[in-house]
Amino acid sequence: MSKINTNGSGSCSFAPSKRLPTPGKATVLAIGKAFPRQLIPQECLVEGYIRDTKCEDVSIKEKLERLCKTTTVKTRYTVMSKEILDKYPELATEGTPTIKQRLDIANPAVVEMAMEASLACIKEWGRPVEDITHIVYVSSSEIRLPGGDLYLASQLGLRNDVGRVMLYFLGCYGGVTGLRVAKDIAENNPGSRVLLTTSETTILGFRPPNKARPYDLVGAALFGDGAAAVIVGANPLKDKESPFMELHYAVQQFLPGTQNVIDGSLTEEGINFKLGRDLPQKIEDNIEVFCKKLMANADLKEFNDLFWAVHPGGPAILNRLESNLKLENNKLECSRRALMDYGNVSSNTIFYVMDNMREELKKKKDMEEWGLALAFGPGITFEGILLRSL
């Protein structure tokens, strides 16, 4: 795999919080991210994809060109490379059983990216790895026993009694699920420090275009690879830790009867996805009630009084959420910027949004105290956390 390009702050600093954390509530203490070295500008994607898959259908190329423009993505990182396709040409051959080859690439790649993101996060945190008591590992891109959580814990040099939780195949809402699980661990185990890491690659879903699988083109135009990590803990240590976000209250909810709207299946050729056209509408129809449920915990009433960290599944979802909740134009800027810079990187993307949000809140004199982190995925599942900026 190509050398990892780490994109994080990479240094520890103990700037005082503007607000005091609520005693006993979980906080985010540091964040890190990492990417494969291969960066693909969106304007170069079509020619490369059509060439690599030996597609000669002009109509498919034209459709992919249109999709690449509508996604608003400008750049993405990817594990897939010319070297991999030269070694495994069958990955670009229709109907070829390639699940073993894909996992041979993906399994080590996701751990390598998770390792680099975790190291960047731990460096920013500023405490020794021995102080990590739990690890939550999220990925929809690897399959093996033992899982990547064990490999990551071993490579980082964590204690052998570290508590491990592995969350597999949750898709785009996995990052917020990981935050909810990390929050529960931190708040119920005094003194604990949880390393939450997410890592994803599109290797399992890469395949030549086929008119019978129109969603493959959407995936080619939208999704990217990368990893993220955060340290979560309650009651941060003064002068040793710098909390910047409190995880105040969390809710998960599924919409009955919508389990086929986002459908994924593992086959001998990799992962096949089907995405219902009614997904944005389903989210729009249910998002207001879901948000109000989260806001009620702090007696909040106005959507525009909050900051918003929304997983950017695609521009249509962001546009409908913005319109339905009558949000001001800049409220989803951090989500739109993450989508533009990285594409949809599944479970990782919410952390890229939160990192953007951290920087934006630093710039504001009167920054919003409360906000929402939201993600949506198979089920249809809604994950939400009421955040408090510190």
Side-chain angles (χ1 to χ4, degrees), residues 112-348:
E112 186 177 350
M113 291 189 291
M115 177 77 173
E116 293 297 331
S118 298
L119 288 173
C121 182
I122 292 167
K123 185 175 182 180
E124 180 183 299
W125 179 42
R127 292 179 60 184
V129 295
E130 293 81 9
D131 291 351
I132 294 172
T133 59
H134 298 76
I135 185 171
V136 178
Y137 182 91
V138 181
S139 183
S140 298
S141 304
E142 69 157 79
I143 307 168
R144 57 177 164 177
L145 295 173
D149 61 320
L150 181 68
Y151 290 98
L152 179 62
S154 298
Q155 291 178 27
L156 285 172
L158 303 186
R159 297 157 22 183
N160 67 354
D161 64 348
V162 66
R164 306 187 334 261
V165 176
M166 190 167 61
L167 300 174
Y168 266 12
F169 286 93
L170 300 182
C172 290
Y173 68 86
V176 184
T177 302
L179 280 172
R180 175 169 54 82
V181 172
K183 168 182 166 63
D184 286 348
I185 293 171
E187 292 177 356
N188 287 284
N189 295 270
S192 62
R193 290 297 179 263
V194 186
L195 172 65
L196 163 61
T197 181
T198 62
S199 189
E200 307 286 5
T201 174
T202 52
I203 289 288
L204 294 187
F206 179 88
R207 58 177 48 81
N210 188 315
K211 288 184 177 179
R213 299 190 307 268
Y215 185 64
D216 285 357
L217 289 182
V218 178
L222 183 64
F223 285 90
D225 299 356
V230 294
I231 298 285
V232 175
N235 302 316
L237 301 179
K238 187 178 180 181
D239 299 327
K240 288 188 177 182
E241 294 176 315
S242 300
F244 62 90
M245 202 77 75
E246 181 177 292
L247 307 175
H248 195 78
Y249 177 63
V251 174
Q252 184 194 69
Q253 177 180 310
F254 71 92
L255 305 182
T258 64
Q259 62 268 26
N260 294 323
V261 176
I262 305 173
D263 182 63
S265 58
L266 187 65
T267 72
E268 292 182 345
E269 298 176 54
I271 290 181
N272 288 326
F273 281 106
K274 295 179 182 178
L275 187 67
R277 292 180 177 273
D278 55 344
L279 174 61
Q281 187 64 53
K282 295 286 187 185
I283 293 174
E284 182 180 7
D285 291 344
N286 293 275
I287 191 61
E288 183 173 356
V289 172
F290 183 73
C291 289
K292 286 182 176 178
K293 181 184 295 186
L294 286 160
M295 295 164 63
N297 185 266
D299 197 28
L300 303 168
K301 306 295 184 185
E302 298 296 328
F303 294 128
N304 280 303
D305 289 344
L306 310 178
F307 61 87
W308 293 79
V310 181
H311 168 77
I317 291 173
L318 295 178
N319 292 342
R320 285 176 179 254
L321 189 148
E322 183 178 77
S323 174
N324 183 272
L325 301 182
K326 297 180 174 59
L327 298 181
E328 296 167 0
N329 290 337
N330 63 339
K331 287 294 181 178
L332 299 182
E333 176 61 26
C334 291
S335 296
R336 296 189 189 279
R337 189 161 14 115
L339 181 63
M340 181 174 65
D341 292 342
Y342 310 114
N344 181 340
V345 199
S346 192
S347 64
N348 305 317

Side-chain angles (χ1 to χ4, degrees), residues 40-50 64 68 76 220-221 223:
I40 301 179
Q42 192 78 333
E43 63 267 22
C44 300
L45 180 131
V46 176
E47 291 297 333
Y49 179 74
I50 294 298
L64 183 57
C68 282
R76 282 177 290 167
F223 285 90

